[in-house]
Amino acid sequence: MSDSRGARMSRRGLFGLGAAGAAVVGAGVVASNTLLDEAPVAHAASISDPFPFYGEHQAGVVTPAQDRLHFVAFDVITKNRAELVELLQEWTAAAARLTQGKEAGSFGAVGGAPEAAPDDTGEALGLPASGLTLTIGFGASLFDERFGLAGKRPAALADLPKFPGEQLIPEISGGDICVQACAHDPQVAVHAIRNLARIGFGKVSVRWSQLGFGCTSSTSRAQATPRNLMGFKDGTNNLKLEDAELLRDQLWASAQDGSAWMAGGTYMVTRKIRMAIETWDRTSLAEQEQIFGRNKGEGAPLGKQAEFDAVDFAAKGADGQPHIKADAHVRLAHPSNNSNAHLLRRGYNFVDGSDGLGRLDAGLFFIAYQRDPRKQFVPVQMKLAKNDALNEYIKHVSSGLFACPPGVRDAGDYWGRTLFE
Amino acid sequence: MSDSRGARMSRRGLFGLGAAGAAVVGAGVVASNTLLDEAPVAHAASISDPFPFYGEHQAGVVTPAQDRLHFVAFDVITKNRAELVELLQEWTAAAARLTQGKEAGSFGAVGGAPEAAPDDTGEALGLPASGLTLTIGFGASLFDERFGLAGKRPAALADLPKFPGEQLIPEISGGDICVQACAHDPQVAVHAIRNLARIGFGKVSVRWSQLGFGCTSSTSRAQATPRNLMGFKDGTNNLKLEDAELLRDQLWASAQDGSAWMAGGTYMVTRKIRMAIETWDRTSLAEQEQIFGRNKGEGAPLGKQAEFDAVDFAAKGADGQPHIKADAHVRLAHPSNNSNAHLLRRGYNFVDGSDGLGRLDAGLFFIAYQRDPRKQFVPVQMKLAKNDALNEYIKHVSSGLFACPPGVRDAGDYWGRTLFE
């Protein structure tokens, strides 16, 4: 075994080499992959270039899904609109630095004043950018009377209905502002959220926070489909960054949708879904596969051979019964059975320790992006909540809905400018 | 940016190639590193060879620290000694497979019966071994009257004293049996613990469980020193696998220590240490550095230049005061001030969401291995608990002490055989 295991590349060292050095890393990785004639390697790519921060859309949506998540929802505690805007500007500047592998601000030891608290907490010193993206969203509660935003609440940010069976915990639901941090290294994702919280001291308060790992839905055709904690491939038919036309139709909000400030933005739904994994683990393979409507090993639709074979909902087996049952998850959720409603899913597995009753507290932190939840998440989830055979093994315990503004165009722009100006 | 980001190498694909294929991966990674003239890359190594499972000592102690942790403590609920031994045998067989990148048992889709629950939960299908190690320990409570082990309780497994200031939560402390899973991929570590819990259904119950990331102490001189969530390098003077003589003297139990069954084993202390990170983040750099006795950027002892410079506790500054204060963490914890008592630390950072009071629930899950806690952890921690300037910012909320038996010698051996036979 190599002694290099576990050692880390210096953030400063990597970026001191500039783009040429980073490109060499990429080339080395590709070379080793091609010899294996296999899917490319996730972890090697974690040291490659950072993702661009500036752009028409926020990063972290169609960005090829990174492996780790730290998600936070804040309550705004200042009542001063100017202070909130100033915070968004400070956060934007910090995010532009953090996503490029830099510290949040000047670090005491290298230029800061020793009598002041450092402008970066330090735990990511020496770590590369690790593909960090930071994606902000505004919850419906921000559009109350505090900041004069009531008239700007988008129609698509309508409160979610109550879904049958959900058991939501208010303390870990909602929030005025959310930030999704995704990276290939959890320390980098945690460092980013923690520094945003530090910068927001006295203006925002952490309402709830969630760590996740193993993004359960690939968002690019170049990625292999990962598995959720039920052991099934998840996201085979996910909206992917290569689906340009669908992304335009179903992901990005347009000025014609009624809220001009959201043009280029998107709407994020979060659902923390606790799984009864101990019960699931004692369920037969045949039942598990019937519930999903796919086989477990390959992820192929029942009655088909390969993962990406088209699902045939009419096909019947020798017994005259449909291969895919009426209450199978894939049948109920499939766009062809939902007026062609797609979602860009970007959820993560979670394990939050144990529940005090001898069971792991584990499941899926579901995240989905879309142009209009009223036409996409809501009708699909209503159908699932009523009929999905999977409901016996899952429980929705938290919920969030956020309007994610368009991307930050350049260093003179900031998160939410179109909303506040 | 490469489209390969986030994709995953197939576990079967990797191992289908055998050792030669794995070596090629390593070579590719090394080639790209050398062009950078920097420390080697952690994440690329995560796809390299698995660590050996069989040996004189358990893996996961001196093994170069992996980046992710899933730790679990079980209560044994069967009262039947034979059933407990059978479980340990089943666990050992599963661990031998899991650590080598295989599934825990036959997976339904490829040979199992569809009417049976699969013998593997499936969420690691397609993932490489990722450096997984599984390390078992036995708590003092296992040595009660239930299993006839009272006479075999090692003297070194004496209950820890109550330390000043600790605020332990019984529900997340102790346990009859613990398993430490370390890997470069959290999904692999979680999969391993989850399958051990599945195998143990009806015989053991999950008492508590903890996820962690970013091992805060390097255990090999080839590893760069990582940082804890206070932003400081942690483990500069840790016991390391290259310290052969110290490991023999201070890490591994010997037959002469009084419990022959523990020869080749070691004792593990766990402490969940919650950090007041929001308060810490508002503390001046100078105060932070005085508390640790090291500077934050380089990790050098105060008054010195480089991380590995020897600490000089007598040296004074121009003001006549010692560079390193009387209550500095490094002074109180240093072996030279503790009868040369060393610890092999292997703790992990944790973030367990938020605490409902606007703060992140974050800190250090401390793990330390040693030959005799009565001579190592206990006196050092008693001194720290009484005097450490750091105490203002930390709180110990859980505690564990476990006897980790020697390694499993071969496929005919099992975890704890020397204890039960």
Side-chain angles (χ1 to χ4, degrees), chain A residues 1 4-5 7 17 24 35-36 42-43 49 51 68 114 116 122 131 186-187 194 206 223 227 229 281-282 285-286 349, chain B residues 1 5 7 17 24 35-36 40 42-43 49 51 68 114 116 122 186-187 194 201 206 227 229 281 285-286 349 358:
Chain A
M1 122 197 91
S4 70
R5 189 189 291 258
L17 283 163
V24 169
L35 290 167
L36 283 164
H43 295 281
D49 293 346
F51 290 112
R68 313 287 177 256
Q187 185 129 340
R194 184 240 195 114
V206 172
Q223 297 183 297
R227 290 177 186 272
L229 288 184
D281 288 349
R282 302 182 66 75
L285 179 65
N349 299 319
Chain B
M1 116 199 91
R5 188 188 290 257
L17 283 163
V24 169
L35 292 168
L36 283 164
H43 295 281
D49 294 345
F51 290 110
R68 313 286 178 256
Q187 185 128 340
R194 185 241 194 110
F201 182 84
V206 172
R227 291 176 185 271
L229 288 184
D281 288 349
L285 179 66
N349 299 319

Side-chain angles (χ1 to χ4, degrees), chain A residues 180-250:
Chain A
Q180 169 199 279
C182 297
H184 293 297
D185 185 332
Q187 185 129 340
V188 170
V190 162
H191 171 258
I193 295 296
R194 184 240 195 114
N195 277 275
L196 296 185
R198 182 185 55 73
I199 292 168
F201 182 84
K203 298 172 185 168
V204 294
S205 171
V206 172
R207 180 177 174 86
W208 56 275
S209 160
Q210 180 67 51
L211 262 71
F213 60 89
C215 186
T216 59
S217 296
S218 51
T219 55
S220 157
R221 300 208 189 286
Q223 297 183 297
T225 310
R227 290 177 186 272
N228 60 32
L229 288 184
M230 289 179 155
F232 278 76
K233 292 186 182 176
D234 201 332
T236 298
N237 282 327
N238 201 24
L239 257 188
K240 295 193 168 80
L241 69 86
E242 295 86 354
D243 303 328
E245 192 173 341
L246 277 172
L247 295 183
R248 198 171 54 241
D249 289 349
Q250 303 221 6

Side-chain angles (χ1 to χ4, degrees), chain B residues 88-171:
Chain B
L88 290 167
Q89 291 168 338
E90 288 176 37
W91 272 356
T92 305
R97 296 178 57 83
L98 289 164
T99 55
Q100 304 310 299
K102 300 173 187 161
E103 310 317 318
S106 82
F107 176 68
V110 289
E115 66 275 15
D119 285 331
D120 184 274
T121 54
E123 74 270 23
L125 276 171
L127 300 183
S130 305
L132 175 70
T133 56
L134 293 166
T135 312
I136 197 167
F138 302 131
S141 55
L142 192 71
F143 297 85
D144 60 12
E145 298 306 319
R146 286 173 293 170
F147 309 107
L149 299 174
K152 291 218 172 173
R153 178 173 172 175
L157 198 66
D159 292 337
L160 298 180
K162 177 158 177 50
F163 296 103
E166 69 182 9
Q167 299 179 43
L168 303 184
I169 302 166
E171 292 77 13

Side-chain angles (χ1 to χ4, degrees), chain A residues 172-397:
Chain A
I172 57 169
S173 296
D176 293 332
I177 302 180
C178 77
V179 181
Q180 169 199 279
C182 297
H184 293 297
D185 185 332
Q187 185 129 340
V188 170
V190 162
H191 171 258
I193 295 296
R194 184 240 195 114
N195 277 275
L196 296 185
R198 182 185 55 73
I199 292 168
F201 182 84
K203 298 172 185 168
V204 294
S205 171
V206 172
R207 180 177 174 86
W208 56 275
S209 160
Q210 180 67 51
L211 262 71
F213 60 89
C215 186
T216 59
S217 296
S218 51
T219 55
S220 157
R221 300 208 189 286
Q223 297 183 297
T225 310
R227 290 177 186 272
N228 60 32
L229 288 184
M230 289 179 155
F232 278 76
K233 292 186 182 176
D234 201 332
T236 298
N237 282 327
N238 201 24
L239 257 188
K240 295 193 168 80
L241 69 86
E242 295 86 354
D243 303 328
E245 192 173 341
L246 277 172
L247 295 183
R248 198 171 54 241
D249 289 349
Q250 303 221 6
L251 179 64
W252 302 119
S254 141
Q256 284 72 51
D257 293 351
S259 286
W261 71 268
M262 273 292 289
T266 183
Y267 295 88
M268 179 208 297
V269 171
T270 69
R271 306 284 287 186
K272 184 170 181 175
I273 305 173
R274 170 90 191 268
M275 294 173 176
I277 63 171
E278 290 80 5
T279 314
W280 179 257
D281 288 349
R282 302 182 66 75
T283 304
S284 76
L285 179 65
E287 185 174 342
Q288 290 185 8
E289 295 186 334
Q290 282 168 6
I291 287 170
F292 273 100
R294 291 182 177 276
N295 72 35
K296 196 166 185 177
E298 296 303 319
L302 294 183
K304 300 281 182 147
Q305 299 305 311
E307 180 190 352
F308 292 100
D309 286 351
V311 192
D312 182 349
F313 295 110
K316 296 179 178 176
D319 60 0
Q321 297 298 310
H323 285 302
I324 296 174
K325 289 193 161 188
D327 61 357
H329 185 75
V330 69
R331 181 186 290 274
L332 295 167
H334 200 273
S336 67
N337 295 326
N338 287 282
S339 313
N340 196 37
H342 287 258
L343 296 169
L344 189 141
R345 282 169 287 152
R346 221 173 186 291
Y348 285 80
N349 299 319
F350 74 84
V351 176
D352 290 351
S354 57
D355 69 355
L357 299 170
R359 300 177 299 212
L360 292 176
D361 183 357
L364 169 65
F365 186 74
F366 172 94
I367 301 175
Y369 291 93
Q370 63 227 276
R371 184 171 178 177
D372 190 340
R374 296 170 301 173
K375 300 176 184 167
Q376 295 165 275
F377 175 77
V378 171
V380 175
Q381 178 56 28
M382 192 57 78
K383 182 185 281 190
L384 289 171
K386 287 177 178 165
N387 303 302
D388 191 355
L390 197 54
N391 291 336
E392 189 176 340
Y393 301 94
I394 61 176
K395 183 170 70 176
H396 288 230
V397 296

Side-chain angles (χ1 to χ4, degrees), chain B residues 154 156-157 253 262 265-269 368-373 402-404:
Chain B
L157 198 66
M262 272 292 288
T266 183
Y267 296 87
M268 179 207 299
V269 171
Y369 291 94
Q370 62 227 277
R371 185 172 178 176
D372 190 339
F402 302 93
C404 302

Side-chain angles (χ1 to χ4, degrees), chain A residues 69-72 123 186-187 189-191 193-194 206 208-212 351-353, chain B residues 210-213 229 272-275 277-278 348-355 359-365:
Chain A
L69 169 77
H70 189 186
F71 189 96
V72 68
E123 73 270 25
Q187 185 129 340
V190 162
H191 171 258
I193 295 296
R194 184 240 195 114
V206 172
W208 56 275
S209 160
Q210 180 67 51
L211 262 71
V351 176
D352 290 351
Chain B
Q210 180 68 51
L211 263 70
F213 60 90
L229 288 184
K272 183 171 182 176
I273 305 173
R274 171 90 191 269
M275 294 173 176
I277 63 169
E278 290 80 6
Y348 285 81
N349 299 319
F350 74 84
V351 177
D352 289 352
S354 57
D355 68 355
R359 300 177 299 212
L360 292 175
D361 184 357
L364 169 65
F365 187 73

